[in-house]
Amino acid sequence: MSLFKARDWWSTILGDKEEFDQGCLCLANVDNSGNGQDKVIVGSFMGYLRIFSPHPAKTGDGAQAEDLLLEVDLRDPVLQVEVGKFVSGTEMLHLAVLHSRKLCVYSVSGTLGNVEHGNQYQMKLMYEHNLQRTACNMTYGSFGGVKGRDLICIQSVDGMLMVFEQESYAFGRFLPGFLLPGPLAYSSRTDSFLTVSSCRQVESYKYQVLAFATDADKRQETEQQKLGSGKRLVVDWTLNIGEQALDICIVSFNQSASSVFVLGERNFFCLKDNGQIRFMKKLDWSPSCFLPYCSVSEGTINTLIGNHNNMLHIYQDVTLKWATQLPHIPVAVRVGCLHDLKGVIVTLSDDGHLQCSYLGTDPSLFQAPNVESREVNYDELDVEMKELQKIIKDVNKSQGVWPMTEREDDLNVSVVVSPNFDSVSQATDVEVGTDLVPSVTVKVTLQNRVILQKAKLSVYVQSPLELTCDQFTFEFMSIPRVIQCKFRLPLKLICLPGQPSKTASHKITIDTNKSPVSLLSLFPGFASESDDDQVNVMGFHFLGGARVTLLASKTSQRYRIQSEQFEDLWLITNELILRLQEYFEKQGVKDFACSFSGSVPLQEYFELIDHHFELRINGEKLEELLSQRAVQFRAIQRRLLARFKDKTPAPLQHLDTLLDGTYKQVIALADAVEENQGNLFQSFTRLKSATHLVILLIGLWQKLSADQVAILEAAFLPLQEDTQELGWEETVDAAISHLLKTCLSKSSKEQALNLNSQLNIPKDTSQLKKHITLLCDRLAKGGRLCLSTDAAAPQTMVMPGGCTTIPESDLEERSVEQDSTELFTNQRHLTAETPRPEVSPLQGVSE
């Protein structure tokens, strides 16, 4: 608990899922009661108007039924509420409510109750103005120096100031150079309106200038204006503050001086009447609202500033005097006198948390007990320290990235994938050749046994799969934890039965230790009538055109997967292994295993890497060329603009032709950049599929455990998206280099080498391909992957089959080029001719 925490005097929650902003809160004696006590008036964007008179029995009590004096549904969003002398013939206070297309003025009165239910309050409409333009905000005051009444000025979203003299409309004027509406305030001492324009400058307009300017019945200039009759609206003074403004407020010391306060996005400013800066304060946080008011010290002003860190800061000029913690982010703050308590701070959040609080501290009365002094036994402390270090080490080894929950059944996530496709496909805007793209419904169930708040559910699938919705937030569900649940989608979502192919450019063979299983039983949904005689051959047709053929040997315990594209082999190969494991688990067989005895097809993998890297380099060149043409285009524009502004006409000297040609080049380069980004995305998807296949084959080849395969996946697949700033090549190269210098290192000399902390795009892929080859070579010679802290120590490996030891790193890379020829020369039986990979729709499918 913070020592400087706002003391909760009274609070309540307004409505259900209503929204509020800075103009929705007002404090005033709206019912003109004799005791002069302020009432809290709140309007919401849902159209509800509420008036409160807090009377807590004790500090911190919530709202009671009798605290709500009035609640009315106005049926239109309430943009702003103000209280002033808005009715002619009387100086009593009335309530002005601004809607988007209407201004209403009400009188609020109370009737003494004769029974225990208390007083009754009612609201009577005095008059209303229907607006011809959509309103944004309003301000009020004694415009023109009138006495005993307040006039209202409304700013529309298109930049028109509409002045109302109580029951009648006075005039309307458009602000010059208007783009977007800003905060609006009125200074009674200078009789001026102040606003902050979209040019990021404070502007002041005299009321007399507004009143005598040309009428703004139309936005365009009239013929009289063009001829020079009438007065144009001229700004009194401006000040560039260099940022957008959140609010503006005027505070008067006395009749001879007043200050203009402007709250910006990162600063707040105090200006004199003439626009000169009195002082400014740079803020270290993002503000949300503010309220200046006169200080008890002569010549100074206090300012309440709320921010998005749930804090309320009190400044005296530029000096921070107090900081207090709030339970919410305030969007509006006011100070008033409630229930004979002066200086109550009233704050309102955007979701309706209304709180009345006061400043103070909450000192702690706890006193630490005296500790019995005893002599320290350092030997016992050393033993205890070693035990604790061992516990921490074991926990770091076993614990994953996500925090573990104390009870796994406190929050459970389960997923059920519908066995049937949707009758009406949700993939309405997707085109993949002539094939219809199906959709399937996934049901996610959350079960919780503890109270949760704002639980967020995220669903992720790899491209080219898409989701109708990937983010869900549950308001009714404060425990910091993350629960993951993985699920498999049906293969038929992206794959259809197809005709087997007898020939293919890429082939891999998976060995098993059990008799071959009928493919019809493994893939029942892909069997057709013509497949009855060919139970050992099955064809798959991906959405988009790619075809894969699966063959089961009749005599040996092998399965062959073949395709015209190397990356298309991964999904069917992975699906075959998973379905074989599920099949034998159902049969009660526990010793089933798959293996890969061929050579790892690195050459085909390297071709995909080179193609992806080539597109990245091409993208950099195109973006650099586009930047040059854009600079040239802007330079020609400046030259042309200077010629057009020149009072003495001069020939353009073909600048217009050059501008047109440069524009065409910019458009062509932008199209080329966009096309290259699309090709890069497809290439990265193909590269991820090929990477999955290579990791799968290495795991089967060296019989790696699940933890070791996970290390390989983390090293080869570190990115979900590929960008020019951080690409796949440099990231994977750094990860593999780390493995080679730690768990796969052969000497302390290698471990002493430091990796470059900054990742930059390489000149070529030769270093990356050399490191991948070296990784496979060390795994082939008995190296094993490990992430424990002991992995940095030099390993003494027992080489299987009498293998020779791995040479030192300074000679190894030269010898690996020769050894890799011996290791991976047999891979060409997998690919006779490898064509340029085409786009395939199955890459990156989530399992």
Side-chain angles (χ1 to χ4, degrees), residues 52-265:
F52 293 92
S53 178
H55 294 81
K58 61 179 180 178
T59 300
D61 280 357
Q64 304 297 322
E66 58 270 19
D67 294 340
L68 180 60
L69 304 183
L70 190 65
E71 182 175 10
V72 182
D73 184 5
L74 301 179
R75 302 187 181 277
D76 290 318
V78 177
L79 303 183
Q80 191 172 346
V81 289
E82 298 291 350
V83 175
K85 302 172 183 178
F86 301 134
V87 177
S88 60
T90 178
E91 293 190 6
M92 297 184 67
L93 298 178
H94 290 77
L95 174 64
V97 180
L98 178 64
H99 304 285
S100 58
R101 284 281 184 170
K102 185 168 58 175
L103 172 65
C104 301
V105 175
Y106 301 92
S107 67
V108 179
S109 59
T111 304
L112 294 178
N114 297 324
V115 293
E116 60 182 4
H117 299 298
N119 301 336
Q120 297 179 359
Y121 285 81
Q122 58 185 358
M123 194 167 67
K124 179 182 178 181
L125 178 65
M126 303 303 294
Y127 63 86
E128 68 178 18
H129 294 288
N130 292 317
L131 308 178
Q132 300 300 318
R133 286 178 161 78
T134 303
C136 176
N137 51 24
M138 68 176 176
T139 186
Y140 70 95
S142 54
F143 305 162
V146 298
K147 302 296 184 181
R149 57 179 179 152
D150 291 325
L151 280 63
I152 297 177
C153 178
I154 299 176
Q155 179 180 212
S156 67
V157 294
D158 58 350
M160 184 179 182
L161 296 183
M162 298 171 283
V163 178
F164 295 88
E165 294 183 355
Q166 296 180 340
E167 291 86 351
S168 60
Y169 172 73
F171 58 85
R173 303 289 184 264
F174 277 109
L175 297 177
F178 181 86
L179 182 60
L180 294 173
L184 181 67
Y186 172 73
S187 174
S188 59
R189 204 188 77 82
T190 60
D191 195 23
S192 303
F193 294 101
L194 294 104
T195 184
V196 180
S197 67
S198 54
C199 298
R200 299 183 176 183
Q201 60 184 12
V202 183
E203 299 178 352
S204 175
Y205 297 91
K206 290 285 188 179
Y207 175 75
Q208 296 298 330
V209 175
L210 285 170
F212 289 102
T214 306
D215 195 14
D217 291 335
K218 295 182 179 179
R219 183 66 188 259
Q220 291 80 10
E221 290 184 337
T222 63
E223 291 296 328
Q224 291 181 347
Q225 283 181 289
K226 295 179 180 178
L227 295 175
S229 64
K231 293 185 178 180
R232 298 175 61 89
L233 181 57
V234 180
V235 65
D236 184 26
W237 56 261
T238 62
L239 175 67
N240 194 331
I241 60 174
E243 60 182 317
Q244 297 293 342
L246 302 180
D247 201 358
I248 187 169
C249 187
I250 289 96
V251 177
S252 297
F253 295 103
N254 46 51
Q255 293 297 326
S256 61
S258 63
S259 295
V260 179
F261 282 82
V262 181
L263 180 65
E265 295 173 325

Side-chain angles (χ1 to χ4, degrees), residues 22-23 25-27 290-291 304 332-336 344-347:
Q22 62 181 10
L25 177 63
C26 179
L27 262 68
F290 86 138
L291 177 68
L304 296 171
V333 58
R334 301 290 185 269
V335 175
V344 177
I345 300 174
V346 182
T347 55

Side-chain angles (χ1 to χ4, degrees), residues 374-437:
R374 57 187 180 90
E375 296 182 1
V376 179
N377 190 330
Y378 292 100
D379 295 335
E380 293 180 358
L381 290 179
D382 289 339
V383 174
E384 184 180 359
M385 178 64 72
K386 291 180 180 179
E387 293 178 353
L388 294 175
Q389 288 177 343
K390 184 177 182 301
I391 294 174
I392 295 173
K393 184 178 179 181
D394 294 339
V395 170
N396 290 336
K397 286 183 179 180
S398 61
Q399 189 173 8
V401 177
W402 309 115
M404 300 296 291
T405 59
E406 296 180 359
R407 294 186 56 180
E408 293 297 332
D409 56 349
D410 284 349
L411 176 62
N412 292 327
V413 181
S414 59
V415 179
V416 177
V417 181
S418 175
N420 302 319
F421 290 154
D422 299 335
S423 57
V424 178
S425 176
Q426 301 298 314
T428 55
D429 300 332
V430 180
E431 295 182 1
V432 184
T434 59
D435 298 322
L436 295 177
V437 179

